[in-house]
Amino acid sequence: MPSSPGLSFGTTRNAEGETVEYDLKEAIGKLMEFLIKDFDVLQEYTPVLIVSVDEAHPLTTTETDVIDGLWSRFSEFRRGLRFIHSYPCFFLFLSTTGKVSQFIPSPENDRSSRVQTQLLGLMSPFCELGFGQLAQKAIEGLTPLDEVASLLFLASIGRPL
Amino acid sequence: MFAGEKLLCKPFFTSEEFVRKLTDEEKLACISVRIPLEFNSRTLRSQEMEKNLVDKHMRVCLTVDPGFETVITVAPSEPLLAEASYLLMRSPAFDLPRSLLAELEHPGLDKGNRGELIAMTLCLQARDAASTRLQSRITPVRDFIQELLVPSAHDRVLRSKPVRARNSEEAEKTLEDTFRDSNIYFNHFVKIRDRRVISRQFLWGLIARGAAALCADFQYGIDIVIPYLFWDRILRRQNVSAFLIQVKNDETFKESPQEYLFDMMNPYRIEFFDKNESHPVPLIRMLFALASENSSIAVLGCPERTQPVREGAAKARFQADRYTSFDIWCAKASKETFRPIENDAVFDKLLLRSRLFPNVYEAKKSEGLQNATRSMNPATDIHPAHWDRFV
């Protein structure tokens, strides 16, 4: 796996005028230590943090920079996330009106040269998932009517809201 | 609450004030998650309405053809959304029949020519009334009947005996005794696309979703199936019975029962029971003759023997049948027949709106225009204007 290019996290001043240095890797490490007892970055965990970005398609708007050329907030976001891929966190970008190609372009159209040369691959999009992913199952001969008529059961049926 | 917000696409409250201020579009969103409404999208308004329901009110687009000419959308079975809708509909400020009428005044909604929409509305209102009174989503069959039919008919219906029975024990039991332990759970209707779903093999699953069924277009003998659990409260195939309802929006069906219509709801013929059913439970079959001029509720009785029993013969007083059924004929969409109806005029209009024909002609301003329009559809009706140009 090729290593990620270095990210420069700038320093900025907070509301009190103090200088603050942002380091994504350090921040996520601290969060994982808080969430997982005896966290070890070399161990494998199931995701403990899932961040969902709803209606994410405006992030994909392409802009032009005189030095770096074409870029979008989404491509920068993705690059930042690449930097913390060893940590058990997962980001979901949801869009109801965008195009799949905005998030998952074909490799030759991707902003990243490593994706273009297929050193890195992208995850396939999740689309047309159907409904009832979280539905509890009624079992013939066992499940009572009172259970299926409970709010807990009927909330599990249909699309996850 | 959250489901309600998703359904309305705005903050959700159940106060009368809030319900009164719901827009037509929001009311249609509430109705369509409980009653399957189909758009025929003949008008720009209906196309726009359908699009907005998908965009903001949880309607689902199943497919769009490549040229964007045809869009097929549905309000799928989602009991949580139906429950949110019920919280609004139980408010006195939500007049379901009037809201439905307001929407049907505009072309674009498929109205169902046999008045199924009206029958579903009545059943939902009866279910909601029972559910609100008992503070429970599960309602006994008896309470559902009491909320569906006018109080003056309750005793007669509940004390009636089956029109046909499998054995003498079932033949002697009244409707109330037969269904003493039977319970209904549904908060919405779903339109089924294949008649084979009206089998107990699938219907117990429908109960698990809190759904009742509007039958497939090509299912002629039966329009609505409301399944319930007969023996006890455990979901299983052998425990499923149902209200089988046929709806007529045709004034030739009057207050006197036509028995052949019940024969079309033979549970073996429609495959509700398997051919060699081992556990055929008693059923309730109803016929809604909505366009009847006069109101009546008739419970069909067991036919008398045509041959008198020979003296001393040990013959049963009835002929054993393959199933036990209580058959009820309900004539006229009126407050004298159905308990949920408060205003006959609204239902009269709903019945007319449910008939595409002859409304397409009668909507024309003058008789001359009506006749001209009739002549454009020759030989399809008894009105002379359909014939006099060519015979």
Side-chain angles (χ1 to χ4, degrees):
Chain A
M1 177 82 66
S3 62
S4 299
L7 283 180
S8 57
F9 294 105
T11 53
T12 187
R13 286 184 184 280
N14 67 12
E16 282 77 42
E18 297 161 338
T19 303
V20 180
E21 193 167 324
Y22 289 109
D23 186 325
L24 179 61
K25 214 166 184 173
E26 189 185 324
I28 200 84
K30 282 181 181 167
L31 181 59
M32 291 303 144
E33 280 164 16
F34 174 75
L35 292 172
I36 304 171
K37 198 182 170 198
D38 303 326
F39 173 71
D40 180 355
V41 73
L42 297 176
Q43 275 191 37
E44 283 202 4
Y45 300 92
T46 52
V48 291
L49 173 71
I50 297 175
V51 179
S52 135
V53 184
D54 201 3
E55 297 300 351
H57 46 274
L59 294 175
T60 61
T61 308
T62 304
E63 295 185 36
T64 311
D65 183 89
V66 282
I67 300 168
D68 294 329
L70 295 174
W71 69 284
S72 73
R73 282 168 181 77
F74 178 69
S75 63
E76 293 304 300
F77 203 152
R78 203 180 66 185
R79 188 162 164 254
L81 296 180
R82 171 92 183 88
F83 196 63
I84 57 167
H85 78 274
S86 317
Y87 294 85
C89 57
F90 200 84
F91 278 68
L92 285 166
F93 294 89
L94 311 177
S95 175
T96 51
T97 54
K99 290 178 182 169
V100 171
S101 59
Q102 286 176 299
F103 295 97
I104 318 283
S106 55
E108 59 271 23
N109 292 328
D110 201 276
R111 304 260 176 273
S112 162
S113 58
R114 291 184 303 159
V115 173
Q116 283 172 16
T117 53
Q118 302 196 5
L119 282 169
L120 288 177
L122 297 177
M123 263 176 125
S124 301
F126 301 107
C127 56
E128 300 206 42
L129 294 171
F131 289 174
Q133 290 88 351
L134 304 177
Q136 291 183 33
K137 292 227 175 206
I139 301 165
E140 185 175 8
L142 283 179
T143 306
L145 193 58
D146 306 76
E147 186 180 324
V148 294
S150 69
L151 194 58
L152 194 68
F153 190 94
L154 64 92
S156 79
I157 295 179
R159 79 194 93 175
L161 293 180
Chain B
M1 283 291 183
F2 181 64
E5 286 178 11
K6 297 291 276 185
L7 179 61
L8 296 179
C9 195
K10 69 178 190 183
F12 179 84
F13 304 96
T14 54
S15 66
E16 266 191 65
E17 182 65 13
F18 179 80
V19 175
R20 194 169 295 114
K21 287 182 178 166
L22 290 176
T23 64
D24 286 350
E25 185 177 299
E26 288 160 354
K27 283 183 184 166
L28 190 64
C30 292
I31 296 170
S32 66
V33 293
R34 304 194 73 195
I35 297 178
L37 299 175
E38 290 185 341
F39 289 85
N40 50 34
S41 297
R42 276 196 293 246
T43 62
L44 280 176
R45 182 186 181 277
S46 75
Q47 285 171 8
E48 193 64 21
M49 184 68 95
E50 190 174 12
K51 189 170 138 283
N52 285 346
L53 288 178
V54 172
D55 195 15
K56 296 180 186 163
H57 303 294
M58 307 299 279
R59 196 172 175 87
V60 172
C61 176
L62 287 183
T63 186
V64 180
D65 75 2
F68 277 83
E69 286 290 327
T70 319
V71 179
I72 297 179
T73 70
V74 292
S77 165
E78 292 191 277
L80 189 62
L81 295 179
E83 194 63 18
S85 170
Y86 156 68
L87 294 178
L88 299 172
M89 283 192 189
R90 73 180 175 180
S91 163
F94 198 118
D95 187 337
L96 174 58
R98 217 177 271 278
S99 304
L100 204 52
L101 179 62
E103 212 41 60
L104 294 182
E105 297 280 358
H106 304 284
L109 269 186
D110 210 339
K111 298 166 181 70
N113 59 7
R114 288 185 300 279
E116 301 95 326
L117 270 184
I118 298 161
M120 284 187 287
T121 303
L122 291 170
C123 292
L124 265 190
Q125 286 184 298
R127 175 267 168 201
D128 287 358
S131 197
T132 305
R133 177 163 57 82
L134 300 169
Q135 292 290 298
S136 168
R137 293 187 190 99
I138 300 169
T139 55
V141 163
R142 186 198 57 216
D143 291 79
F144 176 74
I145 291 174
Q146 284 174 333
E147 295 296 344
L148 181 65
L149 303 177
V150 284
S152 58
H154 290 172
D155 273 358
R156 194 155 36 94
V157 171
L158 294 175
R159 290 182 188 168
S160 66
K161 290 185 178 171
V163 64
R164 58 182 78 230
R166 290 173 59 232
N167 53 47
S168 56
E169 192 191 346
E170 289 188 358
E172 288 308 312
K173 272 190 173 179
T174 62
L175 187 146
E176 188 167 23
D177 283 341
T178 304
F179 298 98
R180 190 168 291 282
D181 299 317
S182 308
N183 286 287
I184 301 180
Y185 164 54
F186 81 102
N187 67 4
H188 67 289
F189 283 93
V190 58
K191 179 160 183 173
I192 55 176
R193 304 286 166 181
D194 190 320
R195 64 175 182 80
R196 286 172 292 187
V197 177
I198 315 171
S199 148
R200 300 205 292 171
Q201 182 192 347
F202 295 102
L203 287 174
W204 76 267
L206 219 57
I207 298 176
R209 298 192 72 90
L214 170 65
C215 295
D217 291 333
F218 40 80
Q219 179 74 43
Y220 297 112
I222 185 164
D223 297 311
I224 289 169
V225 177
I226 302 177
Y228 53 85
L229 295 184
F230 178 74
W231 299 104
D232 53 37
R233 290 185 168 215
I234 299 295
L235 285 167
R236 63 185 188 281
R237 183 190 165 284
Q238 291 90 344
N239 197 13
V240 174
S241 183
F243 282 92
L244 305 178
I245 301 173
Q246 196 182 146
V247 189
K248 296 287 175 199
N249 181 10
D250 178 340
E251 55 218 8
T252 56
F253 298 101
K254 300 178 192 294
E255 62 270 31
S256 358
Q258 305 286 314
E259 286 175 34
Y260 76 94
L261 293 175
F262 290 100
D263 293 339
M264 292 168 75
M265 294 191 271
N266 181 323
Y268 286 94
R269 197 180 69 86
I270 63 172
E271 295 174 28
F272 177 82
F273 290 140
D274 288 348
K275 267 186 188 162
N276 302 311
E277 185 61 60
S278 55
H279 299 84
V281 292
L283 295 155
I284 299 173
R285 301 186 296 187
M286 301 182 93
L287 197 129
F288 291 2
L290 297 175
S292 164
E293 203 176 321
N294 298 312
S295 159
S296 86
I297 295 176
V299 185
L300 274 70
C302 189
E304 295 292 319
R305 288 185 67 95
T306 48
Q307 299 251 323
V309 181
R310 271 184 292 124
E311 204 174 327
K315 278 194 173 175
R317 282 175 47 235
F318 77 104
Q319 281 189 311
D321 210 306
R322 291 182 74 200
Y323 60 97
T324 300
S325 170
F326 293 82
D327 294 353
I328 306 168
W329 180 276
C330 307
K332 196 176 181 186
S334 153
K335 59 186 171 192
E336 289 161 18
T337 306
F338 294 103
R339 193 172 185 180
I341 296 183
E342 289 173 359
N343 185 338
D344 282 11
V346 174
F347 278 84
D348 282 347
K349 284 184 187 165
L350 270 174
L351 280 172
L352 288 175
R353 295 293 174 273
S354 294
R355 284 181 228 154
L356 201 56
F357 294 93
N359 201 41
V360 284
Y361 312 122
E362 287 165 5
K364 304 282 177 181
K365 280 180 187 163
S366 69
E367 196 183 344
L369 279 174
Q370 286 181 15
N371 289 346
T373 314
R374 284 179 186 276
S375 74
M376 292 156 72
N377 195 11
T380 54
D381 202 331
I382 58 161
H383 193 284
H386 292 277
W387 303 90
D388 57 12
R389 300 273 169 101
F390 69 99
V391 288

